[in-house]
Protein backbone atom coordinates (compact mmCIF):
# COMPACT_ATOMS: atom_id res chain seq x y z
CA UNK A 1 0.00 0.00 0.00
CA UNK A 2 2.79 2.36 0.92
CA UNK A 3 4.48 1.77 -2.45
CA UNK A 4 1.16 2.31 -4.22
CA UNK A 5 0.60 5.62 -2.42
CA UNK A 6 4.13 6.71 -3.34
CA UNK A 7 3.59 5.87 -6.99
CA UNK A 8 0.25 7.70 -7.01
CA UNK A 9 1.90 10.75 -5.43
CA UNK A 10 4.66 10.74 -8.02
CA UNK A 11 2.12 10.42 -10.85
CA UNK A 12 0.08 13.29 -9.44
CA UNK A 13 3.17 15.48 -9.13
CA UNK A 14 4.15 14.70 -12.71
CA UNK A 15 0.64 15.53 -13.90
CA UNK A 16 0.69 18.84 -12.03
CA UNK A 17 4.09 19.65 -13.52
CA UNK A 18 2.77 18.93 -17.00
CA UNK A 19 -0.26 21.12 -16.36
CA UNK A 20 1.97 23.92 -15.11
CA UNK A 21 4.15 23.73 -18.20
CA UNK A 22 1.09 23.64 -20.45
CA UNK A 23 -0.50 26.59 -18.68
CA UNK A 24 2.74 28.52 -18.93
CA UNK A 25 3.20 27.61 -22.59
CA UNK A 26 -0.28 28.95 -23.30
CA UNK A 27 0.83 32.37 -22.04
CA UNK A 28 3.70 32.49 -24.53
CA UNK A 29 3.27 34.77 -27.53
CA UNK A 30 3.83 33.46 -31.03
CA UNK A 31 6.41 36.18 -31.53
CA UNK A 32 8.26 38.68 -29.34
CA UNK A 33 9.21 42.15 -30.58
CA UNK A 34 12.84 43.16 -30.05
CA UNK A 35 13.70 46.82 -30.59
CA UNK A 36 17.09 48.20 -31.69
CA UNK A 37 18.33 51.43 -33.23
CA UNK A 38 20.67 49.94 -35.83
CA UNK A 39 20.30 47.05 -38.26
CA UNK A 40 22.25 43.81 -38.55
CA UNK A 41 25.02 45.34 -40.67
CA UNK A 42 26.35 46.77 -37.37
CA UNK A 43 27.58 45.17 -34.12
CA UNK A 44 24.50 46.63 -32.38
CA UNK A 45 22.18 44.92 -34.84
CA UNK A 46 24.18 41.72 -34.57
CA UNK A 47 23.61 41.79 -30.80
CA UNK A 48 19.88 41.40 -31.37
CA UNK A 49 20.27 38.79 -34.08
CA UNK A 50 22.66 36.63 -32.05
CA UNK A 51 20.40 36.87 -29.01
CA UNK A 52 17.28 35.97 -30.99
CA UNK A 53 18.97 33.03 -32.71
CA UNK A 54 20.38 31.62 -29.47
CA UNK A 55 17.04 31.90 -27.68
CA UNK A 56 15.13 30.19 -30.49
CA UNK A 57 17.66 27.37 -30.65
CA UNK A 58 17.94 26.83 -26.89
CA UNK A 59 14.19 27.00 -26.22
CA UNK A 60 13.52 24.71 -29.20
CA UNK A 61 11.31 27.35 -30.75
CA UNK A 62 9.21 28.13 -27.67
CA UNK A 63 10.43 31.74 -27.75
CA UNK A 64 10.59 33.33 -31.19
CA UNK A 65 11.97 36.86 -31.44
CA UNK A 66 11.50 39.25 -34.35
CA UNK A 67 13.94 42.13 -34.78
CA UNK A 68 12.67 45.69 -35.23
CA UNK A 69 15.69 47.86 -36.12
CA UNK A 70 15.40 51.60 -36.60
CA UNK A 71 13.27 51.67 -33.43
CA UNK A 72 10.45 51.16 -35.91
CA UNK A 73 7.97 50.14 -33.20
CA UNK A 74 7.98 53.76 -32.03
CA UNK A 75 8.29 55.52 -35.39
CA UNK A 76 12.04 55.91 -35.08
CA UNK A 77 11.98 58.02 -31.92
CA UNK A 78 14.95 56.68 -29.94
CA UNK A 79 14.11 58.72 -26.84
CA UNK A 80 10.75 56.93 -26.45
CA UNK A 81 12.18 53.40 -26.50
CA UNK A 82 12.58 52.92 -22.75
CA UNK A 83 9.09 54.21 -21.96
CA UNK A 84 7.59 51.99 -24.66
CA UNK A 85 9.45 49.01 -23.23
CA UNK A 86 8.06 49.66 -19.76
CA UNK A 87 4.55 50.07 -21.15
CA UNK A 88 4.68 46.80 -23.11
CA UNK A 89 4.66 48.33 -26.60
CA UNK A 90 8.09 46.69 -26.93
CA UNK A 91 8.74 43.19 -25.51
CA UNK A 92 12.54 43.18 -25.53
CA UNK A 93 15.35 45.53 -26.51
CA UNK A 94 19.06 45.96 -26.92
CA UNK A 95 19.18 49.60 -25.95
CA UNK A 96 21.62 52.47 -25.61
CA UNK A 97 22.56 53.98 -22.26
CA UNK A 98 22.56 57.37 -23.99
CA UNK A 99 19.06 57.00 -25.40
CA UNK A 100 17.63 55.76 -22.11
CA UNK A 101 19.43 58.30 -19.91
CA UNK A 102 16.58 60.89 -20.00
CA UNK A 103 14.37 58.32 -18.22
CA UNK A 104 17.11 56.75 -16.04
CA UNK A 105 19.45 59.51 -14.89
CA UNK A 106 22.08 57.06 -13.59
CA UNK A 107 22.81 56.01 -17.19
CA UNK A 108 24.36 59.44 -17.76
CA UNK A 109 27.36 58.01 -15.90
CA UNK A 110 28.78 56.70 -19.18
CA UNK A 111 28.40 60.14 -20.76
CA UNK A 112 30.46 61.96 -18.12
CA UNK A 113 33.26 63.51 -20.21
CA UNK A 114 36.53 61.60 -20.18
CA UNK A 115 35.55 59.35 -17.25
CA UNK A 116 36.68 56.15 -19.00
CA UNK A 117 40.16 56.38 -20.53
CA UNK A 118 40.23 52.86 -22.01
CA UNK A 119 38.32 49.62 -22.51
CA UNK A 120 39.61 48.26 -19.20
CA UNK A 121 37.90 51.21 -17.49
CA UNK A 122 34.65 50.55 -19.30
CA UNK A 123 34.79 46.86 -18.36
CA UNK A 124 35.54 47.76 -14.74
CA UNK A 125 32.20 49.59 -14.64
CA UNK A 126 29.89 47.28 -16.56
CA UNK A 127 31.28 44.06 -15.11
CA UNK A 128 31.62 45.24 -11.51
CA UNK A 129 29.64 46.82 -8.70
CA UNK A 130 28.65 49.80 -10.84
CA UNK A 131 27.03 47.50 -13.40
CA UNK A 132 25.12 45.69 -10.63
CA UNK A 133 23.90 48.99 -9.16
CA UNK A 134 22.70 50.18 -12.56
CA UNK A 135 20.90 46.88 -13.20
CA UNK A 136 19.16 47.23 -9.82
CA UNK A 137 18.08 50.75 -10.81
CA UNK A 138 16.72 49.53 -14.14
CA UNK A 139 14.82 46.75 -12.39
CA UNK A 140 13.17 49.32 -10.13
CA UNK A 141 12.40 51.42 -13.21
CA UNK A 142 10.27 48.60 -14.60
CA UNK A 143 12.39 46.39 -16.88
CA UNK A 144 14.48 43.25 -16.44
CA UNK A 145 18.14 43.90 -17.38
CA UNK A 146 20.10 40.82 -18.39
CA UNK A 147 23.48 41.63 -19.95
CA UNK A 148 25.78 44.30 -21.34
CA UNK A 149 26.76 44.99 -24.92
CA UNK A 150 28.57 47.92 -26.47
CA UNK A 151 28.12 50.61 -29.09
CA UNK A 152 31.69 51.80 -28.56
CA UNK A 153 33.65 54.94 -27.80
CA UNK A 154 32.37 58.01 -29.60
CA UNK A 155 34.84 59.97 -31.71
CA UNK A 156 34.41 63.39 -33.32
CA UNK A 157 34.52 64.05 -37.08
CA UNK A 158 34.19 67.23 -39.13
CA UNK A 159 34.60 68.79 -42.55
CA UNK A 160 36.78 71.78 -41.57
CA UNK A 161 40.08 70.90 -39.92
CA UNK A 162 41.91 68.54 -37.57
CA UNK A 163 40.73 68.91 -33.98
CA UNK A 164 43.69 68.84 -31.60
CA UNK A 165 42.53 71.30 -28.95
CA UNK A 166 39.28 72.85 -27.68
CA UNK A 167 40.19 75.98 -29.66
CA UNK A 168 39.84 73.98 -32.88
CA UNK A 169 36.18 73.34 -32.02
CA UNK A 170 35.29 77.01 -31.46
CA UNK A 171 32.29 78.04 -33.54
CA UNK A 172 32.04 74.63 -35.22
CA UNK A 173 28.49 73.33 -35.67
CA UNK A 174 28.39 69.77 -34.32
CA UNK A 175 25.44 67.40 -34.51
CA UNK A 176 24.87 65.74 -31.12
CA UNK A 177 22.40 63.21 -29.73
CA UNK A 178 19.34 64.26 -27.74
CA UNK A 179 20.76 63.94 -24.23
CA UNK A 180 21.38 67.40 -22.68
CA UNK A 181 24.83 66.51 -21.34
CA UNK A 182 26.15 66.43 -24.93
CA UNK A 183 25.04 69.99 -25.57
CA UNK A 184 26.71 71.01 -22.32
CA UNK A 185 29.99 69.32 -23.26
CA UNK A 186 30.32 70.80 -26.73
CA UNK A 187 29.26 74.22 -25.54
CA UNK A 188 31.99 74.04 -22.88
CA UNK A 189 34.53 73.36 -25.64
CA UNK A 190 33.35 76.36 -27.65
CA UNK A 191 31.41 74.47 -30.31
CA UNK A 192 27.84 75.12 -31.42
CA UNK A 193 26.01 71.82 -30.65
CA UNK A 194 22.85 70.98 -32.59
CA UNK A 195 20.57 68.13 -31.52
CA UNK A 196 19.07 66.22 -34.44
CA UNK A 197 18.28 62.70 -35.57
CA UNK A 198 20.71 60.96 -37.89
CA UNK A 199 18.12 61.12 -40.68
CA UNK A 200 18.22 64.91 -40.42
CA UNK A 201 21.98 65.00 -39.82
CA UNK A 202 22.97 63.38 -43.12
CA UNK A 203 21.61 66.11 -45.43
CA UNK A 204 22.80 68.78 -42.97
CA UNK A 205 26.34 67.40 -43.13
CA UNK A 206 26.18 67.08 -46.93
CA UNK A 207 25.08 70.68 -47.39
CA UNK A 208 27.53 72.07 -44.84
CA UNK A 209 24.73 73.35 -42.59
CA UNK A 210 26.41 71.23 -39.90
CA UNK A 211 30.19 70.83 -39.78
CA UNK A 212 30.65 67.65 -37.76
CA UNK A 213 29.26 64.89 -35.59
CA UNK A 214 30.31 62.28 -33.02
CA UNK A 215 29.74 58.52 -33.22
CA UNK A 216 31.54 55.18 -32.86
CA UNK A 217 34.12 54.67 -35.60
CA UNK A 218 32.53 51.55 -37.08
CA UNK A 219 29.61 53.76 -38.10
CA UNK A 220 31.96 55.98 -40.10
CA UNK A 221 32.40 53.04 -42.45
CA UNK A 222 28.83 51.72 -42.33
CA UNK A 223 27.33 55.16 -43.03
CA UNK A 224 30.11 56.18 -45.45
CA UNK A 225 30.58 59.48 -43.64
CA UNK A 226 33.39 60.55 -45.96
CA UNK A 227 30.67 61.02 -48.60
CA UNK A 228 28.95 63.68 -46.46
CA UNK A 229 32.03 65.84 -46.03
CA UNK A 230 33.57 64.20 -42.97
CA UNK A 231 37.26 64.38 -43.81
CA UNK A 232 38.78 64.79 -40.34
CA UNK A 233 38.52 62.40 -37.38
CA UNK A 234 39.86 62.89 -33.87
CA UNK A 235 40.02 59.82 -31.66
CA UNK A 236 39.59 61.17 -28.14
CA UNK A 237 37.44 58.51 -26.45
CA UNK A 238 35.51 61.15 -24.54
CA UNK A 239 32.50 58.90 -23.76
CA UNK A 240 31.39 55.34 -24.45
CA UNK A 241 27.90 53.96 -25.01
CA UNK A 242 27.29 50.54 -23.44
CA UNK A 243 24.24 48.63 -24.66
CA UNK A 244 21.86 46.77 -22.35
CA UNK A 245 19.83 43.63 -23.09
CA UNK A 246 16.45 43.94 -21.39
CA UNK A 247 13.00 42.34 -21.29
CA UNK A 248 9.64 43.84 -20.33
CA UNK A 249 8.71 42.70 -16.82
CA UNK A 250 5.31 41.27 -17.73
CA UNK A 251 6.82 39.29 -20.59
CA UNK A 252 9.59 38.04 -18.31
CA UNK A 253 7.05 36.89 -15.72
CA UNK A 254 5.13 34.92 -18.35
CA UNK A 255 8.08 32.58 -18.99
CA UNK A 256 9.01 29.54 -16.95
CA UNK A 257 12.09 29.87 -14.70
CA UNK A 258 13.90 27.46 -17.01
CA UNK A 259 13.22 29.65 -20.04
CA UNK A 260 14.13 32.77 -18.10
CA UNK A 261 17.52 31.20 -17.38
CA UNK A 262 17.95 30.36 -21.07
CA UNK A 263 17.11 33.90 -22.19
CA UNK A 264 19.45 35.41 -19.59
CA UNK A 265 22.38 33.19 -20.57
CA UNK A 266 21.72 33.80 -24.27
CA UNK A 267 21.86 37.56 -23.61
CA UNK A 268 25.17 37.17 -21.77
CA UNK A 269 26.63 35.08 -24.60
CA UNK A 270 25.33 37.47 -27.27
CA UNK A 271 26.73 40.44 -25.35
CA UNK A 272 30.22 38.96 -25.22
CA UNK A 273 30.15 38.22 -28.95
CA UNK A 274 28.83 41.68 -29.77
CA UNK A 275 31.44 43.49 -27.66
CA UNK A 276 34.17 41.65 -29.59
CA UNK A 277 32.57 42.81 -32.86
CA UNK A 278 32.29 46.42 -31.63
CA UNK A 279 35.98 46.51 -30.67
CA UNK A 280 37.30 44.74 -33.76
CA UNK A 281 40.02 46.76 -35.45
CA UNK A 282 40.49 49.06 -32.46
CA UNK A 283 42.01 46.85 -29.75
CA UNK A 284 44.78 45.43 -31.91
CA UNK A 285 48.18 47.12 -31.64
CA UNK A 286 48.07 48.55 -35.18
CA UNK A 287 44.35 49.49 -35.04
CA UNK A 288 43.53 48.26 -38.56
CA UNK A 289 40.10 49.96 -38.56
CA UNK A 290 41.83 53.37 -38.51
CA UNK A 291 43.95 52.35 -41.50
CA UNK A 292 40.87 51.16 -43.38
CA UNK A 293 39.06 54.44 -42.73
CA UNK A 294 42.06 56.60 -43.67
CA UNK A 295 42.39 54.71 -46.96
CA UNK A 296 38.83 55.54 -47.99
CA UNK A 297 38.16 59.04 -49.18
CA UNK A 298 41.48 60.55 -48.04
CA UNK A 299 40.43 60.94 -44.41
CA UNK A 300 42.83 62.51 -41.88
CA UNK A 301 42.88 60.84 -38.46
CA UNK A 302 44.25 62.67 -35.42
CA UNK A 303 45.16 60.66 -32.33
CA UNK A 304 45.62 62.92 -29.31
CA UNK A 305 48.67 62.85 -27.11
CA UNK A 306 48.13 62.65 -23.34
CA UNK A 307 48.76 66.40 -23.02
CA UNK A 308 46.35 67.24 -25.83
CA UNK A 309 43.65 65.04 -24.31
CA UNK A 310 44.15 66.68 -20.93
CA UNK A 311 43.21 70.06 -22.42
CA UNK A 312 39.79 68.63 -23.35
CA UNK A 313 39.46 67.06 -19.89
CA UNK A 314 40.09 70.46 -18.30
CA UNK A 315 37.64 72.25 -20.60
CA UNK A 316 34.81 69.83 -19.80
CA UNK A 317 35.47 69.43 -16.06
CA UNK A 318 32.73 71.90 -15.08
CA UNK A 319 30.26 69.76 -17.04
CA UNK A 320 31.53 66.63 -15.27
CA UNK A 321 31.07 68.27 -11.87
CA UNK A 322 27.60 69.58 -12.75
CA UNK A 323 26.35 66.20 -13.95
CA UNK A 324 27.98 64.22 -11.14
CA UNK A 325 25.14 65.22 -8.84
CA UNK A 326 22.52 64.42 -11.48
CA UNK A 327 23.93 60.93 -11.94
CA UNK A 328 24.42 60.47 -8.20
CA UNK A 329 27.64 61.33 -6.40
CA UNK A 330 27.86 57.93 -4.70
CA UNK A 331 27.59 56.07 -8.01
CA UNK A 332 30.18 58.32 -9.66
CA UNK A 333 32.55 57.90 -6.72
CA UNK A 334 32.16 54.12 -6.94
CA UNK A 335 32.89 54.31 -10.68
CA UNK A 336 36.00 56.45 -10.14
CA UNK A 337 37.36 53.97 -7.58
CA UNK A 338 36.68 51.00 -9.88
CA UNK A 339 38.52 52.69 -12.75
CA UNK A 340 41.48 53.59 -10.54
CA UNK A 341 41.75 49.95 -9.43
CA UNK A 342 41.34 48.42 -12.91
CA UNK A 343 43.83 46.03 -14.48
CA UNK A 344 45.04 47.75 -17.65
Amino acid sequence: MKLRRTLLSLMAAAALGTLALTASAETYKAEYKLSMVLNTSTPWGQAGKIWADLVKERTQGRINIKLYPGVSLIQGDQTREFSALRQGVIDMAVGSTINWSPQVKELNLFSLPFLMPDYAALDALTQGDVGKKIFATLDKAGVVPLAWGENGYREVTNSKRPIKSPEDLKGMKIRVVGSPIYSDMFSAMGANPTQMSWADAQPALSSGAVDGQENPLYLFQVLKMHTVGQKFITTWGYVADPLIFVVNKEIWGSWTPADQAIVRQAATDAGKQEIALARKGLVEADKPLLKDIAAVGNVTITQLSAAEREAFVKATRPVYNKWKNTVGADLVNTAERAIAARHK
Side-chain angles (χ1 to χ4, degrees):
M1 288 295 290
K2 186 176 180 181
L3 178 60
R4 186 167 180 270
R5 283 197 300 271
T6 302
L7 287 170
L8 287 172
S9 297
L10 288 171
M11 291 170 65
L16 285 171
T18 302
L19 285 171
L21 283 171
T22 303
S24 181
E26 287 173 356
T27 68
Y28 282 30
K29 295 165 69 170
E31 183 177 274
Y32 294 91
K33 299 174 181 177
L34 192 157
S35 177
M36 303 177 299
V37 171
L38 299 179
N39 62 35
T40 54
S41 66
T42 66
W44 191 341
Q46 280 296 305
K49 183 179 187 305
I50 295 167
W51 190 20
D53 289 347
L54 289 175
V55 168
K56 183 173 183 178
E57 176 189 342
R58 294 176 184 178
T59 62
Q60 298 177 321
R62 288 189 302 279
I63 297 177
N64 293 293
I65 300 168
K66 183 175 180 181
L67 307 182
Y68 286 84
V71 276
S72 54
L73 294 168
I74 43 172
Q75 292 75 52
D77 187 350
Q78 297 169 214
T79 61
R80 288 179 49 219
E81 187 177 50
F82 189 79
S83 298
L85 184 66
R86 257 189 322 204
Q87 294 161 1
V89 175
I90 295 169
D91 298 322
M92 310 167 70
V94 180
S96 155
T97 55
I98 294 173
N99 290 341
W100 294 355
S101 62
Q103 287 81 38
V104 184
K105 61 184 177 60
E106 290 84 357
L107 294 179
N108 285 291
L109 173 74
F110 300 102
S111 295
L112 289 177
F114 301 99
L115 169 66
M116 300 163 290
D118 50 39
Y119 285 115
L122 179 55
D123 291 341
L125 301 189
T126 58
Q127 306 306 314
D129 288 341
V130 168
K132 291 174 185 174
K133 288 176 185 289
I134 288 175
F135 272 20
T137 298
L138 288 169
D139 188 77
K140 288 178 184 175
V143 301
V144 180
L146 302 178
W148 293 95
E150 192 172 296
N151 193 32
Y153 278 92
R154 301 177 75 87
E155 316 293 9
V156 65
T157 76
N158 79 97
S159 60
K160 298 289 187 185
R161 54 186 171 268
I163 296 171
K164 296 182 178 180
S165 71
E167 287 71 29
D168 293 325
L169 271 166
K170 289 200 183 306
M172 202 178 282
K173 290 172 282 188
I174 304 291
R175 177 264 177 180
V176 296
V177 294
S179 180
I181 191 172
Y182 289 85
S183 293
D184 286 354
M185 280 188 280
F186 279 90
S187 294
M189 291 183 283
N192 179 15
T194 303
Q195 293 183 1
M196 60 175 64
S197 69
W198 185 251
D200 293 332
Q202 286 178 294
L205 290 166
S206 292
S207 68
V210 172
D211 301 315
Q213 61 84 51
E214 48 80 56
N215 254 310
L217 281 178
Y218 74 79
L219 279 176
F220 193 95
Q221 283 189 310
V222 171
L223 298 173
K224 295 181 171 59
M225 290 187 194
H226 64 283
T227 66
V228 291
Q230 300 305 284
K231 298 294 184 181
F232 301 95
I233 298 173
T234 293
T235 60
W236 59 354
Y238 82 125
V239 302
D241 183 23
L243 303 176
I244 307 177
F245 293 68
V246 301
V247 178
N248 166 275
K249 275 201 169 180
E250 190 172 330
I251 294 298
W252 182 257
S254 72
W255 294 334
T256 64
D259 280 342
Q260 289 175 352
I262 288 171
V263 174
R264 185 185 297 276
Q265 187 59 51
T268 299
D269 295 343
K272 288 176 180 176
Q273 292 183 49
E274 188 275 337
I275 288 171
L277 291 172
R279 297 181 184 183
K280 186 177 180 182
L282 294 170
V283 291
E284 299 85 352
D286 59 343
K287 296 186 178 180
L289 180 58
L290 297 185
K291 293 180 179 179
D292 291 345
I293 291 172
V296 177
N298 194 27
V299 175
T300 299
I301 299 176
T302 300
Q303 299 183 64
L304 299 181
S305 68
E308 288 170 337
R309 189 176 186 275
E310 188 58 33
F312 288 99
V313 173
K314 185 177 179 181
T316 56
R317 199 64 189 180
V319 178
Y320 186 107
N321 292 334
K322 170 189 171 183
W323 279 84
K324 181 174 181 176
N325 290 326
T326 300
V327 173
D330 288 346
L331 183 63
V332 176
N333 290 337
T334 302
E336 289 171 346
R337 288 193 296 269
I339 290 170
R342 76 193 184 281
H343 298 292
K344 296 182 184 179

